Amino acid sequence: MSVTDNLSIQLYTLRSLEDLDLILDTVAEAGYRHVEAVGSHLDKAAEVRAKLDARSLKASSSHVSMAALREKPDAIVEACRTLGLTDLYMPAVPPDERDMAADGWRSLGRELGQIAERFQDDGIRLGYHNHHWELKPKDGAKTALELIFEAAGSSPLTWQVDVAWLVRGNADPKQWIDRYRSRITAAHVKDIAPAGQNEDQDGWADVGSGTLDWRDLWRVCRAAGAKWMVVEHDKPADPGQTARNSFAFLRTIED
């Protein structure tokens, strides 16, 4: 199996290009065959699907807001069917909720678990995508991320592990991946620049040019069950070059 069979790119990475046709042309020309959509793409799924088909691209997955999950689950299911994807991830809570107390994170975990149950009936897997703020202790030594998964219990809630954000949260990604491997269905593949570099890019780097060993981490994530490996850069100086550089590096990895 080729690495590119499981490789996708989060279209948020190229948002500064603004025009979806230009964004999709850029990723297709870089070599990608799959893309991870953002929530707004679900609102115009038929249009997005046509643009993907025109470039022989497929949607691997999509992010979706908590508000949308609560307010229009049926429409989300229909959009997933239109786009031909079965993996959804709630990417982040709103900024004013990121410092909430333990009970808030438990409540979120229970609710996500319940929604995951409902979506499972429609053949869709719902997961959570982490940043670094979920690594803060909220109940003794228990972090927010632990509370989410604990409260989700035996529900089918999955996890899109963002490895670089775990590192930014001073966590050992391999320990977390091993601990919650039963929930992992995807990983975000992003890199961290050496200290003091790429400050205009919030310290992020193109995959393969930073401090993370993605040859090793790729295998760790795949072994833990990550079906999709999704390139992302939160603030690239040149999104097209980031897409090309990351693809060029990752295609050299033997899966």
Side-chain angles (χ1 to χ4, degrees):
M1 178 181 289
S2 169
V3 163
T4 57
D5 292 338
N6 304 98
L7 183 61
S8 184
I9 184 167
Q10 168 52 256
L11 295 181
Y12 177 80
T13 300
L14 297 102
R15 65 195 182 282
S16 64
L17 299 182
E18 297 184 350
D19 180 72
L20 183 57
D21 287 298
L22 176 57
I23 289 170
L24 296 180
D25 284 343
T26 302
V27 299
E29 289 165 4
Y32 297 88
R33 300 201 298 266
H34 299 92
V35 302
E36 183 169 70
V38 298
S40 60
H41 295 146
L42 299 176
D43 296 330
K44 47 185 179 181
E47 176 187 342
V48 173
R49 177 62 186 265
K51 291 179 184 293
L52 292 173
D53 288 349
R55 296 162 176 84
S56 298
L57 292 169
K58 295 182 179 180
S60 62
S61 45
S62 182
H63 281 186
V64 60
S65 70
M66 197 68 198
L69 290 170
R70 288 167 174 159
E71 296 166 10
K72 49 184 179 182
D74 292 338
I76 290 171
V77 169
E78 188 58 35
C80 290
R81 289 174 176 158
T82 298
L83 287 167
L85 62 87
T86 57
D87 287 287
L88 282 175
Y89 302 99
M90 202 284 277
V93 296
D96 62 350
E97 296 179 19
R98 293 171 189 173
D99 287 323
M100 61 186 171
D103 285 347
W105 293 103
R106 289 193 183 95
S107 178
L108 177 65
R110 285 192 296 271
E111 185 175 9
L112 284 170
Q114 291 165 0
I115 299 172
E117 295 274 10
R118 179 252 189 269
F119 275 38
Q120 181 176 246
D121 293 340
D122 290 296
I124 296 169
R125 299 190 296 189
L126 175 67
Y128 187 78
H129 165 272
N130 68 279
H131 286 75
H132 64 319
W133 52 75
E134 298 97 344
L135 278 299
K136 294 179 180 178
K138 295 292 179 179
D139 181 5
K142 284 187 180 179
T143 65
L145 192 57
E146 289 173 296
L147 295 175
I148 289 172
F149 292 143
E150 183 180 276
S154 61
S155 76
L157 183 70
T158 66
W159 183 23
Q160 182 178 59
V161 53
D162 193 309
V163 176
W165 274 121
L166 289 178
V167 174
R168 282 256 175 117
N170 298 314
D172 180 339
K174 290 184 179 180
Q175 289 184 2
W176 280 83
I177 289 167
D178 184 61
R179 181 177 179 184
Y180 292 108
R181 62 193 304 114
S182 65
R183 293 194 184 273
I184 293 173
T185 53
H188 264 194
V189 182
K190 62 206 298 181
D191 216 335
I192 299 173
Q197 296 185 21
N198 292 6
E199 292 182 357
D200 61 324
Q201 301 178 59
D202 291 345
W204 301 113
D206 298 349
V207 181
S209 67
T211 60
L212 301 187
D213 182 357
W214 270 109
R215 293 186 184 280
D216 180 45
L217 289 167
W218 180 283
R219 297 185 182 97
V220 169
C221 291
R222 291 281 289 134
K227 175 184 178 182
W228 295 112
M229 303 292 288
V230 186
V231 168
E232 187 183 44
H233 188 310
D234 284 0
K235 194 179 178 183
D238 182 339
Q241 194 62 48
T242 287
R244 291 186 291 273
N245 289 347
S246 299
F247 183 89
F249 168 74
L250 291 167
R251 72 182 303 183
T252 68
I253 296 175
E254 292 296 330
D255 200 7

